[in-house]
Amino acid sequence: MRAELIDGKAIAKSIREEVARDVRGLVERGVTPGLTVVLVGDDPASQIYVRSKERACIEAGMNGRTIRLPADTPQAELMDLVDQLNADPTVHGILVQSPLPKHMNEEAVVYRIDPAKDVDGFHPVNVGKLLIGARDGFAPCTPAGVQELLVRSGVQTSGAECVIVGRSNIVGKPMAAIMMQQADGANATVTICHSRTKDLAAHLRRADIVVAAIGRAEMITGDMLKPGVVVIDVGINRVEDASDPRGYRVVGDVHFDSAAEVASRITPVPGGVGPMTIALLLRNTVRAAERSLRAAERSLGA
Ligand SMILES: NC(=O)c1ccc[n+]([C@@H]2O[C@H](COP(=O)([O-])OP(=O)(O)OC[C@H]3O[C@@H](n4cnc5c(N)ncnc54)[C@H](OP(=O)(O)O)[C@@H]3O)[C@@H](O)[C@H]2O)c1
């Protein structure tokens, strides 16, 4: 293997340590950052995500709370809960775990969350702020985590050709918005590819940085990449594997072995982007708490 590994676990750990330090500073000033996660229904993957978010909050010294609602909860009840959380000064971040049951309108729920508490960064106000480069919004945690991986690994992004594969609202589009900004860790020339892109490999072969967010196991192979490219693999896919006691293993959207022969740096799956998402969620929550404290101090001073 030629490529150096980008160790997302280690980088996420240092971000979580920084978050814990910031939390201690806030607690000394009388505020404990609080994240409330709302889980509707009993989707097994969501249960795991929610538990790990709660555990990570508590480890960082924050108030991590999960509110569990039955799958048949009426939409109006969830909206009322969001209103209560919006009004609760001890709640700095609100996250309604996706996917919601089919009878619910997910978009309406996201729109209802106070943008100042939308630590997932999916509210249109935060999406807009990200696009215009305003610094007082919240960037979605997974693409923000990818940027941190690049910055903390010393990858030169300024002037780089960055090809993003995938245009979802949670990864691909915000990733593009982040990398095109006139800012440190950005300033890239961005291309977004998707399922209608003609000749994906031709785009990939120009790239200095590839971000794969497709949801298709090992789709990008080494022969599609330029030597020396930095590969960030967001994908999380289960593939059958009889040799694994679970009967499956988890792989990314990039064929790791062939890509690692060509790339200069590459993220593993698991252990690359995955751990960054929670670290950035904690950081966004601390930022929300800092902003609310500053606002309270300003209003006292006024
Ligand atoms: N590490 C983490 O914390 C984390 C967080 C979120 C997601 N993920 C993982 O990241 C992956 C992407 O997630 P997502 O939510 O963005 O998925 P998504 O909403 O399904 O979007 C996938 C994107 O890939 C594009 N695509 C599909 N087939 C393609 C092809 N053959 N060639 C080029 N583009 C193609 C789609 O194009 P169209 O728009 O044309 O359909 C779409 O834009 C998944 O594996 C997911 O599990 C990981």
Side-chain angles (χ1 to χ4, degrees):
M1 177 173 123
R2 174 174 179 258
E4 196 183 307
L5 273 189
I6 296 179
D7 186 347
K9 249 186 179 165
I11 295 174
K13 184 168 176 277
S14 45
I15 294 175
R16 282 162 67 158
E17 284 163 4
E18 290 162 20
V19 165
R21 188 199 56 210
D22 293 346
V23 169
R24 286 194 292 277
L26 280 164
V27 169
E28 277 167 23
R29 293 164 69 197
V31 174
T32 304
L35 172 69
T36 298
V37 177
V38 181
L39 175 62
V40 188
D42 44 22
D43 177 68
S46 295
Q47 305 258 19
I48 296 171
Y49 293 145
V50 161
R51 260 198 302 276
S52 48
K53 283 166 188 169
E54 194 177 292
R55 205 176 316 127
C57 276
I58 290 163
E59 261 172 43
M62 299 163 56
N63 281 330
R65 182 169 63 131
T66 305
I67 298 176
R68 292 179 168 78
L69 299 176
D72 59 356
T73 302
Q75 169 101 16
E77 209 175 291
L78 177 60
M79 297 299 241
D80 286 347
L81 174 62
V82 170
D83 289 343
Q84 284 167 34
L85 297 172
N86 283 341
D88 183 342
T90 68
V91 174
H92 303 101
I94 303 169
L95 188 155
V96 179
Q97 184 66 43
S98 177
L100 286 173
K102 292 220 164 24
H103 69 280
M104 284 190 166
N105 177 345
E106 200 152 333
E107 194 177 275
V109 176
V110 171
Y111 278 48
R112 191 75 158 231
I113 296 172
D114 178 351
K117 297 190 179 191
D118 167 44
V119 286
D120 241 353
F122 296 151
H123 190 287
V125 166
N126 286 317
V127 175
K129 284 185 174 180
L130 180 66
L131 195 61
I132 64 176
R135 290 176 186 273
D136 62 344
F138 295 108
C141 304
T142 300
V146 169
Q147 185 186 36
E148 283 293 336
L149 285 179
L150 294 169
V151 169
R152 291 178 191 237
S153 309
V155 173
Q156 175 64 257
T157 57
S158 182
E161 292 282 340
C162 178
V163 174
I164 298 160
V165 191
R167 57 174 166 184
S168 71
N169 289 337
I170 63 167
V171 191
K173 282 182 197 161
M175 189 75 246
I178 289 172
M179 295 310 294
M180 72 169 72
Q181 292 305 317
Q182 196 171 343
D184 291 342
N187 279 322
T189 303
V190 176
T191 303
I192 292 206
C193 298
H194 45 75
S195 68
R196 309 292 174 92
T197 297
K198 289 181 192 154
D199 202 351
L200 175 64
H203 291 284
L204 289 171
R205 283 193 200 105
R206 283 189 299 102
D208 303 307
I209 299 169
V210 168
V211 180
I214 314 164
R216 292 187 188 250
E218 302 178 319
M219 200 191 89
I220 296 176
T221 47
D223 60 316
M224 301 164 89
L225 300 169
K226 179 168 90 171
V229 63
V230 175
V231 176
I232 308 288
D233 190 351
V234 182
I236 302 176
N237 309 287
R238 282 184 180 191
V239 292
E240 278 183 32
D241 184 350
S243 70
D244 191 295
R246 296 172 299 183
Y248 68 88
R249 69 197 153 87
V250 175
V251 299
D253 292 339
V254 177
H255 184 267
F256 183 86
D257 288 345
S258 62
E261 289 301 323
V262 182
S264 60
R265 288 179 220 186
I266 189 166
T267 56
V269 176
V273 176
M276 295 297 288
T277 301
I278 289 189
L280 271 287
L281 176 68
L282 300 181
R283 196 169 81 181
N284 276 353
T285 305
V286 166
R287 286 192 176 158
E290 283 166 353
R291 287 174 194 164
S292 106
L293 180 60
R294 269 201 303 275
E297 286 172 347
R298 265 200 309 273
S299 73
L300 277 179

